[in-house]
Amino acid sequence: MKELQFLVQESNETPHYTVTIRKNERNLTAHCTCEQGGPDTLCKHRLSILSGKAKWVIGDNGAETKQVLSWVAWTDIGQAITRASHAQKQLRDAERELAKATARLQEAEEAARITRQALIQSMSD
């Protein structure tokens, strides 16, 4: 079994946590000591390291996140992360389209309001 540990911290004001990644053949486990690091959740610290990012790593082994990424590639976790990333991109795209549609709706409502006012004005003349 191979194991890597990462000391992570989001800011100087937050406590630090330990993320432990264990690989035993094709089985990969990840544990974090943060409040959201329980067995039925996926905290941002674990997800970041499983994605090969050293964003919050404060220890001197941040480069080892690339090794974790190579471990992940051969597991169902890697496939799930790929699907989650794709879903997040689709969500961002949909949010952008919704924002555009909302702006068009507001423009149409304003045009309708102005047209109604003009109609009312022309009927009162």
Side-chain angles (χ1 to χ4, degrees), residues 2-3 5 16 27 32 35 46-47 53-54 60-61 63-64 71 88 110 113-114 117 121 123 125:
K2 297 178 183 178
E3 178 179 293
Q5 286 193 330
H16 67 269
N27 185 19
C32 184
E35 297 82 20
R46 285 188 286 179
L47 186 57
K53 298 175 184 150
D60 60 357
N61 65 336
E64 290 181 339
W71 292 354
Q88 284 179 319
E110 179 64 13
R113 185 187 66 75
I114 291 170
Q117 285 179 338
Q121 182 65 33
M123 291 172 65
D125 290 341

Side-chain angles (χ1 to χ4, degrees), residues 89-102:
K89 182 185 179 314
Q90 287 180 316
L91 177 60
R92 283 190 305 271
D93 292 347
E95 287 171 339
R96 277 193 293 274
E97 288 301 315
L98 178 59
K100 289 177 189 176
T102 300

